[in-house]
Amino acid sequence: MNHKSSNQTNHRVTTSPPHRLTELLHHSISAALEAGKAILDIYHSDDFQVELKGDDSPLTKADIASHNVIMSHLKATNIPVLSEEGKSIPYEERKDWRQLWIVDPIDGTKEFIKRNGEFTVNIALVENQKTVIGVIYVPVLNDLYFSTSEMGAFKVKVNLEDYDVDALMQQGHKLPLEREDKTFTIVASRSHRSPETDDYINQMREKHGDVNLISKGSSLKLCMVAEGQADCYPRFAPTMEWDTAAGQAICEHAGFEVIDWSTKERMLYNRAELLNAWFLVY
């Protein structure tokens, strides 16, 4: 791995030994990349088959294909999976799970339908409500972000036609990367900007003077902070656990904080209420 110096916050909360985390990371990277292949096959066809779910959010056959690929890969780990496209699992059934995968087969389905490329595959491993592995794959850009609480966070380019997961894990560039433009930069949602977000942006302008704004879809917003391209990401609008778990892992393992706006503490997972509170990444 290409290690660069960064201020790492110690987020070691895992009870899994390092070799087990590495093995589980391997499984989750394989799952994300193979899901990416299935998604791109549909993305490059004209047959999305868009349906509306009960909450009026869109669902395509690519979401289902990705979900099925990921489930088949993670099955071997014998760890339960909470997926946006899986069956809903009552809190009574999952409240005692010490470990679980939290998966979004396509984060940014609206971006997928718009064909702007800003969608991701998100896979996180949660232990005792804290994120210990994060994998985000951006199929159109061939960018893979991955992290564990033991080794930190990394980014690597992937050739989907010919890749070796062990080699990718060795070739990753340690996050955050150096940034030339030191202007205070906020990443904000392209399609969910709330008045509160605009208020926060104005506060940062008063504090820092010049402020750059960048807009991205899906969990790419979290990746921008982890990568060092942005200084913070305020999210004062609804998200679900599967939207943020992988990105939170990668941000935390790159030395950043993801703070639940209601508790003012680290955002936790596998809660009774899967709807996240507002949060701030910095």
Side-chain angles (χ1 to χ4, degrees):
M1 294 159 200
N2 302 326
H3 291 269
K4 293 197 174 188
S5 64
S6 64
N7 297 324
Q8 294 292 322
T9 306
N10 188 350
H11 281 294
R12 292 191 175 192
V13 295
T14 178
T15 52
S16 290
H19 69 273
R20 175 63 173 156
L21 271 189
T22 304
E23 178 191 324
L24 292 171
L25 177 64
H26 195 291
H27 278 291
S28 49
I29 289 175
S30 298
L33 296 181
E34 289 303 310
K37 282 185 186 175
I39 291 166
L40 286 175
D41 283 346
I42 297 167
Y43 187 70
H44 294 309
S45 76
D46 293 320
D47 185 16
F48 285 5
Q49 291 183 7
V50 182
E51 302 170 21
L52 289 180
K53 293 191 281 192
D55 60 357
D56 279 347
S57 60
L59 176 72
T60 71
K61 74 175 187 180
D63 293 88
I64 304 300
S66 176
H67 168 82
N68 290 339
V69 169
I70 293 167
M71 293 300 282
S72 69
H73 276 267
L74 296 184
K75 194 175 182 181
T77 67
N78 292 316
I79 295 170
V81 181
L82 180 65
S83 169
E84 179 177 18
E85 307 312 342
K87 67 179 178 65
S88 73
I89 302 167
Y91 184 62
E92 276 306 304
E93 183 181 331
R94 57 184 172 80
K95 67 181 171 63
D96 297 323
W97 290 354
R98 188 182 64 82
Q99 280 187 319
L100 74 156
W101 295 104
I102 298 184
V103 170
D104 194 343
I106 297 183
D107 182 25
T109 301
K110 289 177 181 171
E111 319 297 337
F112 175 90
I113 293 165
K114 289 177 196 164
R115 286 180 183 271
N116 69 11
E118 292 186 4
F119 56 88
T120 60
V121 178
N122 299 353
I123 301 176
L125 181 66
V126 168
E127 286 191 355
N128 303 319
Q129 294 197 286
K130 299 182 175 81
T131 54
V132 295
I133 287 176
V135 173
I136 292 178
Y137 179 52
V138 195
V140 171
L141 299 179
N142 289 318
D143 286 334
L144 174 68
Y145 298 84
F146 62 92
S147 75
T148 78
S149 51
E150 293 291 330
M151 63 191 235
F154 299 84
K155 179 185 181 183
V156 69
K157 279 282 181 195
V158 180
N159 173 6
L160 264 192
E161 301 305 311
D162 179 25
Y163 69 84
D164 175 81
V165 173
D166 290 314
L168 290 172
M169 287 166 64
Q170 292 300 318
Q171 293 160 5
H173 297 275
K174 185 106 181 194
L175 302 181
L177 305 173
E178 288 295 322
R179 181 171 105 219
E180 286 182 18
D181 182 355
K182 302 299 185 190
T183 308
F184 193 84
T185 300
I186 302 172
V187 63
S189 177
R190 194 186 293 291
S191 39
H192 300 98
R193 273 269 284 283
S194 65
E196 292 85 359
T197 307
D198 290 330
D199 288 345
Y200 180 83
I201 290 167
N202 290 332
Q203 285 173 31
M204 292 301 102
R205 283 202 174 106
E206 286 173 20
K207 185 175 178 181
H208 298 281
D210 241 6
V211 167
N212 282 343
L213 290 183
I214 44 179
S215 290
K216 290 282 178 185
S218 68
S219 53
L220 285 168
K221 294 182 283 293
L222 288 146
C223 295
M224 290 299 98
V225 179
E227 196 173 330
Q229 293 300 309
D231 296 285
C232 69
Y233 165 34
R235 180 61 183 223
F236 305 146
T239 54
M240 301 297 289
E241 287 197 9
W242 42 74
D243 295 318
T244 57
Q248 176 163 342
I250 293 162
C251 284
E252 288 183 341
H253 303 155
F256 298 91
E257 302 283 337
V258 181
I259 300 300
D260 181 310
W261 200 252
S262 59
T263 65
K264 298 294 185 275
E265 294 182 351
R266 179 188 198 168
M267 195 150 74
L268 299 175
Y269 288 87
N270 194 28
R271 306 179 307 263
E273 174 54 75
L274 296 173
L275 181 70
N276 292 329
W278 291 358
F279 63 86
L280 177 65
V281 186
Y282 66 92

